[in-house]
Each structure stands twice: as structure tokens, then as C-alpha cells.
Amino acid sequence: MKVQIGRIGTNGMALDETFSAEFADLSNEDVLKFISPFQVKANITRAEDEVIAACVVQSRYQSFCGRCLEAVQRDWTTEFVLSFDAKAFNDFIEIDEDVRQELILNLPACILCRPDCKGLCVECGANLNTEKCKHKHAVSSGT
């Protein structure tokens, strides 16, 4: 996404771009994989010698629950603000790499199939969301 500094008006400018799911450049070993393109919307403004990009990014990912290992697919949205020193650039600012890095920093740390996921039995491996087993399990308060 190229931001032409001279074209930023008093009301700012809007950019809307779509990037492929591979844009995040996650490796094949990563548990989380994006399965739909990234829709990136940026509102670009200028305040004296600073260019500010307020970004909203949407996509869809697939992963596994951190407790029961069931497959999970979710829509995903993240928002962030990028700031650039306009004096450090000539005519334009290329923000793709900054957007990609923010995407990675904003990935969910723990993915659950549902907030009250019971996980797996540590003794027999049974998925406690769908079946009971003969082992006793401590009740977690969730905190």
C-alpha cells in the first residue's frame, strides 16, 4: 500500500486493499493459518511532519483449540495505528511490511473452541466436551 504524502488532504485519505492469505508469510509449521484474503482499510492523515495510518484488517483463520485440539475456524479483525515521520520519506510511504508485522503481533495468543472448553482428560485423552471418562477431574474456576 503506497501512501503518496502529497495527496493526503486536510480530511485525510482512505485506502482499501485486499491481500492474499499468504501475505502474513506464516510458515507451514505454524498452527494458525489464514484461509481467506486480508481486507485492509486504512485512514491516512497528516499532522505536521507525521503521517498516521489507522488500520482495520479482517480475514479468517483456522487453527486448533488450545485445550481440546478440535479444529477451529474464526473470522478475525484487528485494529492498529501506524505512525511515520514524513520528513524521512521523499514522495511516498510503503506500509505493507508494517501492516504485515502488526498482523503477526496481533494474532490471538490462545485459541479456544469455546470459552468453557473442558479440554482433554490427562489420563485417557478423552475430549471432555463430548464424552465422560472414569477419571476424576478438578473443576477449574477459569481464572
Side-chain angles (χ1 to χ4, degrees), residues 68-113:
C68 71
L69 303 178
E70 290 292 317
V72 175
Q73 284 192 10
R74 294 248 165 77
D75 290 329
W76 178 74
T77 301
T78 188
E79 298 180 25
F80 51 87
V81 176
L82 301 171
S83 177
F84 303 91
D85 180 2
K87 294 182 290 185
F89 299 90
N90 290 330
D91 298 325
F92 67 91
I93 300 170
E94 181 65 57
I95 68 171
D96 289 8
E97 179 59 20
D98 297 278
V99 169
R100 188 189 74 77
Q101 289 179 21
E102 285 293 327
L103 294 176
I104 293 169
L105 289 172
N106 286 290
L107 291 175
C110 181
I111 298 168
L112 299 177
C113 61

Short mmCIF file of all heavy atoms in Angstrom, two decimals, residues 68-113:
data_model
loop_
_atom_site.label_atom_id
_atom_site.label_comp_id
_atom_site.label_asym_id
_atom_site.label_seq_id
_atom_site.Cartn_x
_atom_site.Cartn_y
_atom_site.Cartn_z
N CYS A 68 -8.62 -28.69 23.77
CA CYS A 68 -9.13 -30.00 23.35
C CYS A 68 -8.63 -30.43 21.98
O CYS A 68 -8.91 -31.54 21.53
CB CYS A 68 -10.66 -30.01 23.37
SG CYS A 68 -11.42 -29.01 22.06
N LEU A 69 -7.91 -29.56 21.29
CA LEU A 69 -7.30 -29.83 19.99
C LEU A 69 -8.29 -29.98 18.84
O LEU A 69 -7.93 -30.42 17.76
CB LEU A 69 -6.38 -31.06 20.05
CG LEU A 69 -5.26 -30.98 21.08
CD1 LEU A 69 -4.46 -32.27 21.09
CD2 LEU A 69 -4.37 -29.78 20.81
N GLU A 70 -9.55 -29.58 19.05
CA GLU A 70 -10.53 -29.60 17.97
C GLU A 70 -10.20 -28.49 16.97
O GLU A 70 -9.68 -27.45 17.33
CB GLU A 70 -11.95 -29.39 18.51
CG GLU A 70 -12.48 -30.56 19.31
CD GLU A 70 -12.72 -31.80 18.46
OE1 GLU A 70 -13.26 -31.67 17.34
OE2 GLU A 70 -12.36 -32.90 18.93
N ALA A 71 -10.53 -28.73 15.70
CA ALA A 71 -10.32 -27.73 14.67
C ALA A 71 -11.22 -26.52 14.91
O ALA A 71 -12.37 -26.67 15.33
CB ALA A 71 -10.59 -28.32 13.29
N VAL A 72 -10.68 -25.33 14.66
CA VAL A 72 -11.40 -24.08 14.87
C VAL A 72 -11.22 -23.21 13.64
O VAL A 72 -10.11 -23.08 13.13
CB VAL A 72 -10.86 -23.33 16.11
CG1 VAL A 72 -11.51 -21.98 16.28
CG2 VAL A 72 -11.00 -24.16 17.36
N GLN A 73 -12.31 -22.61 13.17
CA GLN A 73 -12.25 -21.60 12.12
C GLN A 73 -12.97 -20.37 12.65
O GLN A 73 -14.07 -20.47 13.18
CB GLN A 73 -12.92 -22.07 10.83
CG GLN A 73 -12.11 -23.04 10.05
CD GLN A 73 -12.69 -23.26 8.65
OE1 GLN A 73 -13.57 -22.56 8.20
NE2 GLN A 73 -12.17 -24.27 7.97
N ARG A 74 -12.35 -19.20 12.48
CA ARG A 74 -12.93 -17.97 13.01
C ARG A 74 -12.66 -16.79 12.09
O ARG A 74 -11.60 -16.70 11.47
CB ARG A 74 -12.31 -17.62 14.36
CG ARG A 74 -12.60 -18.55 15.46
CD ARG A 74 -13.48 -17.92 16.52
NE ARG A 74 -14.05 -18.93 17.39
CZ ARG A 74 -13.39 -19.54 18.35
NH1 ARG A 74 -12.14 -19.23 18.59
NH2 ARG A 74 -14.01 -20.44 19.09
N ASP A 75 -13.63 -15.88 12.06
CA ASP A 75 -13.38 -14.58 11.46
C ASP A 75 -12.48 -13.82 12.42
O ASP A 75 -12.53 -14.02 13.63
CB ASP A 75 -14.69 -13.82 11.27
CG ASP A 75 -15.56 -14.44 10.19
OD1 ASP A 75 -15.00 -15.01 9.23
OD2 ASP A 75 -16.79 -14.36 10.30
N TRP A 76 -11.63 -12.96 11.87
CA TRP A 76 -10.64 -12.27 12.69
C TRP A 76 -10.55 -10.82 12.23
O TRP A 76 -10.48 -10.53 11.04
CB TRP A 76 -9.31 -12.98 12.54
CG TRP A 76 -8.16 -12.39 13.27
CD1 TRP A 76 -7.93 -12.46 14.62
CD2 TRP A 76 -7.07 -11.65 12.72
NE1 TRP A 76 -6.76 -11.81 14.92
CE2 TRP A 76 -6.21 -11.32 13.78
CE3 TRP A 76 -6.74 -11.26 11.43
CZ2 TRP A 76 -5.05 -10.59 13.59
CZ3 TRP A 76 -5.57 -10.54 11.24
CH2 TRP A 76 -4.74 -10.22 12.31
N THR A 77 -10.56 -9.92 13.19
CA THR A 77 -10.41 -8.49 12.91
C THR A 77 -9.40 -7.92 13.90
O THR A 77 -9.42 -8.27 15.08
CB THR A 77 -11.75 -7.74 13.08
OG1 THR A 77 -12.69 -8.32 12.18
CG2 THR A 77 -11.61 -6.27 12.78
N THR A 78 -8.54 -7.06 13.41
CA THR A 78 -7.61 -6.36 14.29
C THR A 78 -7.52 -4.91 13.84
O THR A 78 -7.71 -4.60 12.66
CB THR A 78 -6.22 -7.03 14.31
OG1 THR A 78 -5.43 -6.41 15.32
CG2 THR A 78 -5.51 -6.94 12.98
N GLU A 79 -7.26 -4.04 14.80
CA GLU A 79 -7.10 -2.61 14.53
C GLU A 79 -5.79 -2.13 15.14
O GLU A 79 -5.41 -2.57 16.22
CB GLU A 79 -8.25 -1.82 15.15
CG GLU A 79 -9.61 -2.17 14.59
CD GLU A 79 -10.74 -1.38 15.22
OE1 GLU A 79 -10.48 -0.25 15.71
OE2 GLU A 79 -11.86 -1.87 15.22
N PHE A 80 -5.12 -1.24 14.44
CA PHE A 80 -3.87 -0.69 14.94
C PHE A 80 -3.59 0.63 14.23
O PHE A 80 -4.21 0.94 13.22
CB PHE A 80 -2.70 -1.67 14.76
CG PHE A 80 -2.58 -2.21 13.37
CD1 PHE A 80 -1.86 -1.54 12.40
CD2 PHE A 80 -3.19 -3.41 13.03
CE1 PHE A 80 -1.75 -2.04 11.11
CE2 PHE A 80 -3.08 -3.92 11.75
CZ PHE A 80 -2.36 -3.24 10.79
N VAL A 81 -2.67 1.38 14.80
CA VAL A 81 -2.29 2.68 14.24
C VAL A 81 -0.78 2.65 13.96
O VAL A 81 0.01 2.25 14.81
CB VAL A 81 -2.63 3.82 15.22
CG1 VAL A 81 -2.14 5.16 14.67
CG2 VAL A 81 -4.13 3.87 15.48
N LEU A 82 -0.43 3.08 12.77
CA LEU A 82 0.97 3.21 12.38
C LEU A 82 1.30 4.70 12.28
O LEU A 82 0.47 5.50 11.85
CB LEU A 82 1.22 2.54 11.03
CG LEU A 82 0.90 1.05 10.94
CD1 LEU A 82 0.98 0.57 9.50
CD2 LEU A 82 1.85 0.26 11.82
N SER A 83 2.52 5.05 12.63
CA SER A 83 2.95 6.44 12.58
C SER A 83 4.30 6.51 11.87
O SER A 83 5.19 5.71 12.14
CB SER A 83 3.06 6.98 14.01
OG SER A 83 3.54 8.30 13.99
N PHE A 84 4.42 7.49 10.97
CA PHE A 84 5.65 7.65 10.19
C PHE A 84 6.09 9.10 10.22
O PHE A 84 5.27 10.02 10.17
CB PHE A 84 5.41 7.23 8.73
CG PHE A 84 4.92 5.83 8.57
CD1 PHE A 84 3.55 5.56 8.54
CD2 PHE A 84 5.81 4.78 8.48
CE1 PHE A 84 3.09 4.28 8.39
CE2 PHE A 84 5.35 3.49 8.33
CZ PHE A 84 3.99 3.22 8.30
N ASP A 85 7.38 9.31 10.25
CA ASP A 85 7.96 10.64 10.16
C ASP A 85 8.00 11.00 8.67
O ASP A 85 8.78 10.42 7.91
CB ASP A 85 9.35 10.65 10.77
CG ASP A 85 10.01 12.01 10.71
OD1 ASP A 85 9.39 12.98 10.22
OD2 ASP A 85 11.16 12.11 11.16
N ALA A 86 7.17 11.94 8.25
CA ALA A 86 7.07 12.31 6.83
C ALA A 86 8.38 12.86 6.29
O ALA A 86 8.67 12.73 5.10
CB ALA A 86 5.94 13.31 6.63
N LYS A 87 9.20 13.46 7.14
CA LYS A 87 10.48 14.02 6.69
C LYS A 87 11.46 12.93 6.27
O LYS A 87 12.39 13.19 5.52
CB LYS A 87 11.10 14.88 7.79
CG LYS A 87 10.30 16.12 8.13
CD LYS A 87 10.99 16.96 9.18
CE LYS A 87 10.93 16.23 10.50
NZ LYS A 87 11.46 17.00 11.63
N ALA A 88 11.24 11.70 6.75
CA ALA A 88 12.16 10.60 6.44
C ALA A 88 11.88 9.99 5.08
O ALA A 88 12.64 9.14 4.61
CB ALA A 88 12.08 9.53 7.53
N PHE A 89 10.80 10.41 4.41
CA PHE A 89 10.42 9.85 3.12
C PHE A 89 10.32 10.96 2.09
O PHE A 89 9.97 12.10 2.42
CB PHE A 89 9.07 9.13 3.24
CG PHE A 89 9.09 7.98 4.21
CD1 PHE A 89 8.76 8.19 5.55
CD2 PHE A 89 9.44 6.72 3.80
CE1 PHE A 89 8.77 7.15 6.45
CE2 PHE A 89 9.46 5.66 4.70
CZ PHE A 89 9.13 5.88 6.03
N ASN A 90 10.58 10.62 0.84
CA ASN A 90 10.51 11.62 -0.22
C ASN A 90 9.07 11.88 -0.65
O ASN A 90 8.45 12.83 -0.21
CB ASN A 90 11.35 11.20 -1.43
CG ASN A 90 12.83 11.24 -1.13
OD1 ASN A 90 13.27 12.05 -0.33
ND2 ASN A 90 13.59 10.38 -1.76
N ASP A 91 8.55 11.02 -1.51
CA ASP A 91 7.22 11.24 -2.08
C ASP A 91 6.15 10.32 -1.52
O ASP A 91 4.98 10.66 -1.49
CB ASP A 91 7.26 11.05 -3.60
CG ASP A 91 8.18 12.07 -4.26
OD1 ASP A 91 8.24 13.21 -3.77
OD2 ASP A 91 8.83 11.71 -5.26
N PHE A 92 6.57 9.12 -1.12
CA PHE A 92 5.56 8.14 -0.69
C PHE A 92 6.11 7.27 0.44
O PHE A 92 7.31 7.18 0.66
CB PHE A 92 5.10 7.27 -1.86
CG PHE A 92 6.17 6.36 -2.40
CD1 PHE A 92 6.32 5.07 -1.89
CD2 PHE A 92 7.03 6.77 -3.40
CE1 PHE A 92 7.31 4.24 -2.37
CE2 PHE A 92 8.02 5.94 -3.89
CZ PHE A 92 8.16 4.67 -3.37
N ILE A 93 5.16 6.63 1.14
CA ILE A 93 5.49 5.68 2.20
C ILE A 93 4.86 4.34 1.82
O ILE A 93 3.67 4.29 1.51
CB ILE A 93 4.93 6.15 3.56
CG1 ILE A 93 5.50 7.51 3.95
CG2 ILE A 93 5.22 5.11 4.65
CD1 ILE A 93 4.83 8.14 5.15
N GLU A 94 5.64 3.31 1.83
CA GLU A 94 5.16 1.94 1.56
C GLU A 94 4.88 1.29 2.91
O GLU A 94 5.81 1.09 3.70
CB GLU A 94 6.22 1.15 0.78
CG GLU A 94 5.82 -0.25 0.43
CD GLU A 94 4.65 -0.31 -0.53
OE1 GLU A 94 4.75 0.27 -1.63
OE2 GLU A 94 3.64 -0.93 -0.17
N ILE A 95 3.62 0.96 3.21
CA ILE A 95 3.27 0.48 4.54
C ILE A 95 2.99 -1.02 4.61
O ILE A 95 2.66 -1.53 5.68
CB ILE A 95 2.08 1.27 5.14
CG1 ILE A 95 0.78 0.99 4.39
CG2 ILE A 95 2.39 2.75 5.19
CD1 ILE A 95 -0.44 1.57 5.09
N ASP A 96 3.14 -1.76 3.51
CA ASP A 96 2.82 -3.20 3.50
C ASP A 96 3.54 -3.97 4.60
O ASP A 96 2.92 -4.75 5.33
CB ASP A 96 3.17 -3.83 2.15
CG ASP A 96 2.25 -3.40 1.04
OD1 ASP A 96 1.43 -2.50 1.28
OD2 ASP A 96 2.36 -3.96 -0.06
N GLU A 97 4.84 -3.80 4.72
CA GLU A 97 5.61 -4.57 5.70
C GLU A 97 5.20 -4.21 7.12
O GLU A 97 5.13 -5.07 7.99
CB GLU A 97 7.11 -4.38 5.50
CG GLU A 97 7.98 -5.14 6.48
CD GLU A 97 7.76 -6.66 6.47
OE1 GLU A 97 7.24 -7.21 5.48
OE2 GLU A 97 8.12 -7.30 7.49
N ASP A 98 4.91 -2.95 7.37
CA ASP A 98 4.46 -2.54 8.70
C ASP A 98 3.11 -3.17 9.04
O ASP A 98 2.88 -3.63 10.16
CB ASP A 98 4.37 -1.02 8.79
CG ASP A 98 5.72 -0.37 8.60
OD1 ASP A 98 6.49 -0.30 9.57
OD2 ASP A 98 6.01 0.06 7.46
N VAL A 99 2.22 -3.22 8.06
CA VAL A 99 0.92 -3.87 8.25
C VAL A 99 1.11 -5.36 8.53
O VAL A 99 0.52 -5.91 9.45
CB VAL A 99 0.00 -3.65 7.02
CG1 VAL A 99 -1.24 -4.52 7.09
CG2 VAL A 99 -0.38 -2.17 6.89
N ARG A 100 1.96 -6.01 7.77
CA ARG A 100 2.21 -7.45 7.96
C ARG A 100 2.74 -7.73 9.36
O ARG A 100 2.30 -8.65 10.05
CB ARG A 100 3.20 -7.98 6.92
CG ARG A 100 3.36 -9.50 6.93
CD ARG A 100 4.50 -9.94 6.03
NE ARG A 100 5.78 -9.65 6.63
CZ ARG A 100 6.34 -10.35 7.62
NH1 ARG A 100 5.73 -11.40 8.13
NH2 ARG A 100 7.51 -10.01 8.11
N GLN A 101 3.67 -6.91 9.83
CA GLN A 101 4.23 -7.11 11.17
C GLN A 101 3.17 -6.90 12.25
O GLN A 101 3.12 -7.64 13.23
CB GLN A 101 5.41 -6.18 11.39
CG GLN A 101 6.63 -6.58 10.59
CD GLN A 101 7.80 -5.65 10.78
OE1 GLN A 101 7.88 -4.93 11.76
NE2 GLN A 101 8.73 -5.66 9.83
N GLU A 102 2.31 -5.92 12.08
CA GLU A 102 1.23 -5.70 13.05
C GLU A 102 0.25 -6.86 13.06
O GLU A 102 -0.27 -7.23 14.11
CB GLU A 102 0.50 -4.39 12.76
CG GLU A 102 1.27 -3.17 13.15
CD GLU A 102 1.47 -3.03 14.66
OE1 GLU A 102 0.60 -3.44 15.44
OE2 GLU A 102 2.51 -2.49 15.05
N LEU A 103 -0.01 -7.46 11.89
CA LEU A 103 -0.89 -8.63 11.83
C LEU A 103 -0.34 -9.74 12.71
O LEU A 103 -1.06 -10.35 13.50
CB LEU A 103 -1.01 -9.15 10.40
CG LEU A 103 -1.70 -8.27 9.39
CD1 LEU A 103 -1.64 -8.92 8.01
CD2 LEU A 103 -3.12 -8.00 9.79
N ILE A 104 0.94 -9.99 12.57
CA ILE A 104 1.57 -11.07 13.34
C ILE A 104 1.55 -10.74 14.83
O ILE A 104 1.26 -11.61 15.66
CB ILE A 104 3.01 -11.32 12.82
CG1 ILE A 104 2.94 -11.90 11.40
CG2 ILE A 104 3.77 -12.25 13.76
CD1 ILE A 104 4.25 -11.95 10.67
N LEU A 105 1.82 -9.50 15.19
CA LEU A 105 1.82 -9.11 16.60
C LEU A 105 0.42 -9.21 17.23
O LEU A 105 0.29 -9.39 18.43
CB LEU A 105 2.34 -7.69 16.76
CG LEU A 105 3.83 -7.50 16.53
CD1 LEU A 105 4.19 -6.02 16.53
CD2 LEU A 105 4.64 -8.25 17.58
N ASN A 106 -0.62 -9.10 16.41
CA ASN A 106 -1.98 -9.11 16.91
C ASN A 106 -2.68 -10.47 16.77
O ASN A 106 -3.90 -10.55 16.97
CB ASN A 106 -2.81 -8.02 16.22
CG ASN A 106 -2.45 -6.65 16.71
OD1 ASN A 106 -2.75 -6.30 17.84
ND2 ASN A 106 -1.77 -5.87 15.89
N LEU A 107 -1.93 -11.52 16.44
CA LEU A 107 -2.55 -12.84 16.37
C LEU A 107 -3.02 -13.27 17.75
O LEU A 107 -2.41 -12.92 18.76
CB LEU A 107 -1.53 -13.87 15.85
CG LEU A 107 -1.11 -13.72 14.39
CD1 LEU A 107 -0.01 -14.72 14.05
CD2 LEU A 107 -2.29 -13.88 13.47
N PRO A 108 -4.09 -14.03 17.80
CA PRO A 108 -4.58 -14.48 19.12
C PRO A 108 -3.54 -15.37 19.80
O PRO A 108 -2.94 -16.24 19.17
CB PRO A 108 -5.85 -15.26 18.80
CG PRO A 108 -5.85 -15.48 17.33
CD PRO A 108 -4.92 -14.51 16.71
N ALA A 109 -3.33 -15.14 21.10
CA ALA A 109 -2.34 -15.91 21.85
C ALA A 109 -2.85 -17.29 22.21
O ALA A 109 -2.10 -18.26 22.22
CB ALA A 109 -1.95 -15.16 23.11
N CYS A 110 -4.14 -17.39 22.51
CA CYS A 110 -4.71 -18.68 22.90
C CYS A 110 -6.06 -18.82 22.21
O CYS A 110 -6.96 -17.99 22.40
CB CYS A 110 -4.88 -18.75 24.41
SG CYS A 110 -5.57 -20.32 24.96
N ILE A 111 -6.19 -19.82 21.40
CA ILE A 111 -7.43 -20.07 20.67
C ILE A 111 -8.18 -21.19 21.35
O ILE A 111 -7.62 -22.26 21.61
CB ILE A 111 -7.11 -20.43 19.21
CG1 ILE A 111 -6.40 -19.26 18.54
CG2 ILE A 111 -8.38 -20.83 18.46
CD1 ILE A 111 -5.79 -19.57 17.21
N LEU A 112 -9.45 -20.94 21.64
CA LEU A 112 -10.30 -21.96 22.25
C LEU A 112 -11.50 -22.20 21.34
O LEU A 112 -11.99 -21.27 20.69
CB LEU A 112 -10.79 -21.52 23.63
CG LEU A 112 -9.72 -21.25 24.68
CD1 LEU A 112 -10.35 -20.76 25.97
CD2 LEU A 112 -8.89 -22.50 24.94
N CYS A 113 -11.98 -23.44 21.33
CA CYS A 113 -13.17 -23.75 20.53
C CYS A 113 -14.39 -23.04 21.09
O CYS A 113 -15.31 -22.67 20.36
CB CYS A 113 -13.39 -25.25 20.44
SG CYS A 113 -13.68 -26.06 22.04
#
